[in-house]
Amino acid sequence: MDSTTTLPAAVPDPQVADRATKLRERADYRANRKGWLGRGLIIALLTLATVVFVYPLIWLVSASLKPRSEVFDNKLIPESPTIENYITIWQEAPLALWIGNTLLVTVLAAVAVTFSSALVAWGFSYYRFRGRDALFFLVLATMMLPGAVTMIPTFLIWDALGQVGTLTPLWAGNLFGSAFYIFLIRQFFLDLPRQVFEAARIDGATDWQIFTRIGVPLCKPALVVTLLFEAQAAWTDLMRPLIYLRDSSTFTIPRGLKAMLDQFGFAGNWHWELIVTAGVITTVPMIILFFIGQRHFIEGVATTGAKS
């Protein structure tokens, strides 16, 4: 036989090839089935969690459209829906004034704590000085103090300043920052490349310019998270308004709702239809605020503290 002659290629057995194809298809089917089962379980759990969290809000809106006799019938669709509760609540309580006071306090508190915390966090992350870590640890240690410990001394300070009965104590304390927000923003600053700041300094930028024109824009997600967290906290705060506010003209929404509970409850005959209606009115702004800032909020929560 000639040495250059090549042998014909082996022809695969059709039965063996068909069996291998069926085995691959079966494996792919099992993998896909497990994937679908896993995704289905996740979707079911997320749906359940959504129902658990959304149901109280749906119930609140439904109850606000019912007369007092039907508020607690646990039906999500009112049999005789009415907007009379919304008309009555605006006539019986100065909701517009309370919403205005709360909006003022919320904006001032959120902006003040965001700016001051960012400024302190920038100092702890950018500058190198002796005792920096010990001082930062001391700042974090203030988070361990219960609010009840500082409640009376803080009240005495504001009373000495003649601010009891005004809205100032509800937001002015945020001018000194918050340990939690300082920690949160500092972690975000630490993830930023220091070479960018050094290049700006070489180009002649001052410390303030580096902070405002480079640091703050790059830290926008963390600042939005801080802003939303503090806005929610200030909007729903009841303890400080109970301590400092005396006149109904200075009431915030939580303090006003507490006054409404006292006003519309007598002899065990509570006007819950008005209370839930006021609750709907005061909840809507927070929902709108979250939807406006949800993209930055989710980005900030996902990236804050993550090392690049």
Side-chain angles (χ1 to χ4, degrees), residues 49-302:
T50 301
V51 171
V52 171
F53 282 100
V54 174
Y55 177 80
L57 178 61
I58 297 176
W59 183 92
L60 191 70
V61 174
S62 175
S64 69
L65 300 174
K66 300 177 181 178
R68 181 171 55 176
S69 60
E70 301 177 7
V71 170
F72 294 105
D73 61 6
N74 206 28
K75 295 180 180 179
L76 296 182
I77 300 178
E79 294 183 358
S80 53
T82 177
I83 62 171
E84 185 65 27
N85 296 332
Y86 289 90
I87 299 175
T88 303
I89 196 63
W90 282 101
Q91 294 174 346
E92 297 293 335
L95 275 184
L97 178 62
W98 294 348
I99 291 175
N101 292 338
T102 309
L103 185 62
L104 176 64
V105 171
T106 299
V107 172
L108 292 176
V111 173
V113 80
T114 301
F115 177 77
S116 58
S117 298
L119 199 60
V120 176
W122 172 256
F124 278 122
S125 63
Y126 180 73
Y127 296 105
R128 304 287 189 265
F129 55 90
R130 181 175 299 179
R132 183 188 68 166
D133 294 338
L135 185 59
F136 181 66
F137 177 79
L138 184 62
V139 172
L140 293 183
T142 61
M143 297 173 61
M144 302 297 106
L145 290 174
V149 173
T150 59
M151 185 182 299
I152 295 177
T154 303
F155 176 83
L156 294 177
I157 292 173
W158 289 118
D159 185 50
L161 295 174
Q163 297 301 314
V164 174
T166 69
L167 298 175
T168 304
L170 306 186
W171 67 269
N174 288 353
L175 292 172
F176 303 97
S178 167
F180 172 73
Y181 298 137
I182 291 172
F183 170 76
L184 185 147
I185 300 174
R186 175 182 176 271
Q187 292 303 112
F188 206 98
F189 276 138
L190 289 176
D191 291 338
L192 302 179
R194 191 175 181 84
Q195 294 81 356
V196 176
F197 307 130
E198 298 300 334
R201 179 175 293 277
I202 294 174
D203 290 338
T206 63
D207 290 346
W208 180 253
Q209 290 174 335
I210 294 175
F211 170 67
T212 56
R213 298 184 182 181
I214 300 177
V216 170
L218 292 177
C219 192
K220 185 177 179 180
L223 298 180
V224 172
V225 170
T226 302
L227 195 71
L228 291 178
F229 276 1
E230 187 59 28
Q232 188 272 337
W235 187 270
T236 59
D237 183 25
L238 174 61
M239 182 60 68
R240 284 182 296 181
L242 280 174
I243 295 174
Y244 294 105
L245 302 183
R246 300 289 184 267
D247 188 1
S248 62
S249 62
T250 61
F251 281 180
T252 59
I253 289 176
R255 182 65 181 89
L257 290 179
K258 175 63 173 62
M260 288 179 58
L261 283 172
D262 299 335
Q263 175 184 354
F264 293 115
F266 52 90
N269 191 13
W270 297 86
H271 291 257
W272 288 110
E273 75 282 4
L274 301 180
I275 303 301
V276 297
T277 302
V280 172
I281 296 173
T282 57
T283 302
V284 169
M286 285 293 99
I287 298 176
I288 296 175
L289 180 64
F290 175 77
F291 276 107
I292 293 175
Q294 64 175 330
R295 182 174 64 87
H296 296 292
F297 175 79
I298 295 172
E299 181 184 355
V301 172

